[in-house]
Amino acid sequence: MLGHRQVILYLLMVSVAHAADALPHPEIPDPFGLGERLALVDYLKTELHANVEPGATYDDLVKQYWEIVDKPKREAEATRSEEAQRLRSRLATEFGIKADESVDLGKLKEMLVEAERKATVRGGGEKNDSPMKDGKKPEDQAGGKGDAAVVMPLTIPGGTDVDVATPKDWQVTKIQPDAALPPTLKIHAPGGDVSLQITLLPDKESRLDTQAKIDQAVKNMGAQYADGSVEKTITVQKLTVSNGIGSYAEFTDGDLVGKKVRPGQYKVVAAGVVTIGKTAAAFTLLGDSFDQAGYLAAKKILTGGIVAHAAPAK
């Protein structure tokens, strides 16, 4: 049985709940003197295009009115809440920043912009002192001329340090909340219609040091895309890498065929792995088509833009 204190608390909660259920009466014009209920019925049908149940009480009609009128507001609030949770997740996983639940959406956006600004390297910022590999520096193999690329040296904890070269006008964001963790690069073509994400993992146990091992890893990666794709199967293709080995599989999103995509949506994806020494670069490449210029340029980053870093020659 409930004790006295618990009964009082219970009654208070019930009274508050009932008070919350009492909806304000909408101010509905009644030029013909139909009365409060019939005027609301007429408004629901003619202005809000709602179906009204025969015999509905006035309280039922009021509830129906506010459900319709408040729906856009509720949906907007739900959308804002979902976006806030997404931003909190990005801040935590990509930048190691924990945002309290009390932080509003506007502040979260500001925090993300600032975090990305600090992590973003734009073209022209790094000087390349790496020796030439196979007669070429990495920027000569990044999908453009040597003077049109920027090189980012990366330290891979437990793996082979590498240099990654990208076209000068592409945006590159490095995500590495802790120096002990593997770095991830988010690379976007101008306009954002091509996106390449590379996570550089140490492979000191040589789990991805042969073509067969990489091919199997690609099959595992492709499983998440195959069912929803046009292809329905995983076809592993060898990636000709100038300084290592690699392979990938490509898929077309079955839901987006023949449709106009929104910003941030992509029709095709390639998932694969490139191994350079003791570092494995797991990548996801997104674009609008397999023969898209930016998509092909991103592939050149994978085939020739990632090389083992070596100390400058003295």
Side-chain angles (χ1 to χ4, degrees):
M1 294 179 64
L2 292 175
H4 179 72
R5 183 186 177 107
Q6 287 78 12
V7 169
I8 297 299
L9 290 172
Y10 173 78
L11 292 175
L12 283 172
M13 288 189 290
V14 170
S15 65
V16 169
H18 281 306
D21 289 340
L23 297 170
H25 291 192
E27 296 183 5
I28 303 298
D30 186 13
F32 304 108
L34 298 174
E36 200 173 40
R37 179 181 178 279
L38 290 179
L40 182 51
V41 169
D42 181 66
Y43 188 87
L44 285 166
K45 289 181 176 180
T46 59
E47 298 298 327
L48 300 182
H49 310 289
N51 294 320
V52 177
E53 290 293 329
T57 66
Y58 180 71
D59 287 342
D60 292 336
L61 297 173
V62 170
K63 182 179 179 182
Q64 184 177 6
Y65 170 87
W66 287 115
E67 285 178 349
I68 296 171
V69 171
D70 284 347
K71 184 178 180 181
K73 180 181 178 181
R74 292 196 307 272
E75 290 178 344
E77 289 175 349
T79 299
R80 287 175 63 85
S81 178
E82 289 175 2
E83 185 177 1
Q85 287 301 112
R86 180 178 60 82
L87 294 183
R88 286 191 185 89
S89 177
R90 283 195 61 191
L91 285 166
T93 57
E94 296 181 13
F95 303 101
I97 299 172
K98 185 176 181 180
D100 190 80
E101 290 292 330
S102 62
V103 180
D104 63 24
L105 181 59
K107 182 62 177 177
L108 289 170
K109 289 180 178 179
E110 292 177 5
M111 292 170 66
L112 183 60
V113 168
E114 180 63 14
E116 288 183 332
R117 183 189 67 78
K118 291 180 179 179
T120 299
V121 176
R122 297 184 186 274
E126 297 285 347
K127 179 181 178 183
N128 178 40
D129 293 320
S130 297
M132 299 174 73
K133 303 288 182 179
D134 298 333
K136 294 183 179 180
K137 288 186 177 182
E139 65 264 40
D140 296 321
Q141 307 174 60
K145 297 179 180 178
D147 60 357
V150 60
V151 177
M152 179 184 289
L154 295 170
T155 299
I156 314 302
T160 300
D161 294 342
V162 297
D163 294 332
V164 179
T166 56
K168 190 174 182 179
D169 56 347
W170 288 40
Q171 177 177 292
V172 182
T173 302
K174 176 186 173 183
I175 300 168
Q176 192 176 20
D178 189 309
L181 297 175
T184 292
L185 297 183
K186 288 191 173 184
I187 305 169
H188 293 91
D193 57 348
V194 172
S195 173
L196 172 62
Q197 180 167 310
I198 308 172
T199 298
L200 297 126
L201 304 162
D203 187 33
K204 52 189 175 183
E205 296 180 1
S206 300
R207 295 179 178 177
L208 294 167
D209 63 341
T210 68
Q211 192 68 53
K213 292 177 182 177
I214 292 176
D215 289 351
Q216 184 57 53
V218 170
K219 289 179 182 178
N220 296 338
M221 294 170 68
Q224 63 180 307
Y225 301 108
D227 287 346
S229 71
V230 173
E231 292 79 6
K232 299 298 182 186
T233 58
I234 303 171
T235 302
V236 177
Q237 304 178 61
K238 183 178 179 180
L239 201 58
T240 304
V241 182
S242 58
N243 301 285
I245 52 177
S247 62
Y248 66 102
E250 292 179 314
F251 306 93
T252 306
D253 191 329
D255 292 333
L256 296 179
V257 174
K259 296 180 181 178
K260 185 177 180 180
V261 296
R262 301 190 304 271
Q265 282 188 318
Y266 303 93
K267 293 184 177 181
V268 299
V269 58
V273 176
V274 170
T275 295
I276 307 291
K278 291 294 183 180
T279 289
F283 66 86
T284 304
L285 171 57
L286 303 166
D288 290 332
S289 68
F290 297 130
D291 57 1
Q292 180 185 5
Y295 185 90
L296 296 176
K299 274 189 175 180
K300 289 186 178 180
I301 296 173
L302 297 166
T303 57
I306 308 174
V307 301
H309 181 80
K314 295 183 180 180

